[in-house]
Amino acid sequence: MKDAQTYLNNEQTQSRGAVLITGASSGIGRECAIALDQLGFTVFAGVRKIEHGHSLMQQASKRINPILLDIADDEQISSAVTTMTKQLPEAGFVGIINNAGIALTGPLECVTRSAFQRQLEINVVSQVALIQAFLPLLRRYRGRIVNISSTSGKIAGAFIGPYCASKFAFEAVTTTLARELRSSGITVSIVEPGVVATPFWEKIIADEDELVRHMSPEAHQLYGESLFQRRRKLVQLIGTGMSPEKVSQVVTHALVSKRPKARYVVGFKAKVKMMIARFLPECLWCRR
């Protein structure tokens, strides 16, 4: 009986290697953390609040290691590198899933300089800083980088300009990294989901509502009705969004497949949208 229990304990603690996930508090990041834990990986789950880490641990095994990681904080990035270097399992470092990010929406005319800068800082500059910090470790273990983008990284739309700008830039960063790191044995993939049913959208709507409340009367006259109609359609769209589990399955493929793809478009609607944008004249599909 003792030997059997020892075997079970070993099975629960053995690891297929370590993975770092940013933005693991909810949505896609959380689903990826749970899925990879179930597959036997040691998961370092980056969260911004310790209570989010405790909540995650309740749903997973002892292989889940929540760490405080605000990707805009250089000290927390450095601390994460130190922590992971000390606690890596024998199987080493499998890779990074860059999922953290924010979405600033609203008419570009109404977006402040500081808000736009923050959008780019979080979704682009901080992502690069994190990757730079972990590259020595990735290079040592020939790990992988999986960047979570969006169809908004290929198709821009009205009232989501700041977010689209950040995702377009993230696409360029990913392509550049893939070419530069190939000689180091590091593969880089980008995942482009369509609409995913996560709490991420609730915050987007709340933030946009706040922006609308502070718009000038002139801006209300120009954009108010369009924003109202957009909000209504957005709520309907979120209700039909795919589950984050579908995205986590694709992320897992990018992380463990012998031949990971450079690009993954996730969801039937997203694939149709990409095809339309690719093959039809812009004047036919580019609408508010």
Side-chain angles (χ1 to χ4, degrees):
M1 180 66 70
K2 184 177 179 181
D3 289 341
Q5 187 62 48
T6 300
Y7 173 78
L8 288 174
N9 290 338
N10 287 338
E11 283 295 296
Q12 291 174 353
T13 57
Q14 285 178 349
S15 172
R16 295 174 63 182
V19 178
L20 171 65
I21 304 175
T22 67
S25 297
S26 63
I28 294 172
R30 186 184 184 91
E31 187 63 40
C32 286
I34 293 171
L36 289 169
D37 167 66
Q38 292 174 346
L39 289 172
F41 292 92
T42 296
V43 179
F44 290 88
V47 297
R48 296 185 63 193
K49 296 181 180 179
I50 193 66
E51 56 266 31
H52 293 161
H54 292 156
S55 172
L56 189 56
M57 291 174 69
Q58 292 174 0
Q59 291 188 257
S61 76
K62 294 180 179 180
R63 287 185 297 268
I64 285 276
N65 297 277
I67 54 175
L68 286 176
L69 181 55
D70 180 344
I71 63 171
D73 188 321
D74 288 340
E75 290 186 5
Q76 288 193 12
I77 290 177
S78 179
S79 176
V81 173
T82 300
T83 298
M84 286 191 61
T85 302
K86 291 179 179 178
Q87 298 181 21
L88 280 179
E90 289 185 10
F93 189 27
V94 177
I96 298 173
I97 299 169
N98 287 306
N99 171 69
I102 62 172
L104 174 63
T105 62
L108 275 177
E109 183 176 357
C110 304
V111 175
T112 65
R113 182 189 185 99
S114 61
F116 207 141
Q117 287 175 331
R118 183 168 181 268
Q119 174 74 89
L120 297 176
E121 172 66 30
I122 300 296
N123 284 20
V124 186
V125 179
S126 295
Q127 308 281 355
V128 173
L130 180 107
I131 292 169
Q132 289 172 333
F134 276 94
L135 270 178
L137 207 56
L138 283 167
R139 190 169 278 114
R140 185 187 311 170
Y141 291 98
R142 299 172 72 87
R144 298 184 180 183
I145 298 170
V146 182
N147 290 335
I148 309 298
S149 182
S150 163
T151 54
S152 294
K154 287 292 187 181
I155 304 170
F159 308 128
I160 52 174
Y163 179 68
C164 290
S166 71
K167 289 302 184 181
F168 268 66
F170 200 34
E171 294 270 346
V173 164
T174 302
T175 300
T176 299
L177 285 170
R179 294 177 179 178
E180 292 179 352
L181 299 178
R182 187 178 295 129
S183 62
S184 296
I186 299 171
T187 61
V188 185
S189 300
I190 195 157
V191 177
E192 300 163 334
V195 176
V196 184
T198 74
F200 182 72
W201 291 99
E202 297 172 10
K203 188 173 189 318
I204 291 175
I205 292 174
D207 289 347
E208 189 167 300
D209 286 347
E210 185 68 15
L211 182 144
V212 170
R213 279 193 290 271
H214 290 87
M215 286 195 317
S216 67
E218 294 79 11
H220 271 285
Q221 185 175 359
L222 287 167
Y223 302 114
E225 180 61 25
S226 294
L227 286 169
F228 174 77
Q229 296 297 335
R230 165 185 147 76
R231 189 188 194 283
R232 188 177 63 179
K233 291 178 181 178
L234 190 58
V235 171
Q236 295 173 346
L237 191 62
I238 295 167
T240 61
M242 77 183 88
S243 71
E245 180 183 3
K246 188 166 185 178
V247 184
S248 75
Q249 292 171 352
V250 172
V251 170
T252 299
H253 184 277
L255 202 63
V256 305
S257 172
K258 289 184 178 180
R259 294 180 178 84
K261 298 179 181 179
R263 185 179 310 277
Y264 296 83
V265 180
V266 189
F268 175 76
K269 291 181 180 178
K271 291 176 181 177
V272 170
K273 184 178 179 180
M274 291 288 211
M275 291 289 285
I276 289 173
R278 182 177 179 183
F279 292 108
L280 289 184
E282 189 169 348
C283 62
L284 297 181
W285 58 264
C286 186
R287 298 286 189 273
R288 283 189 175 183

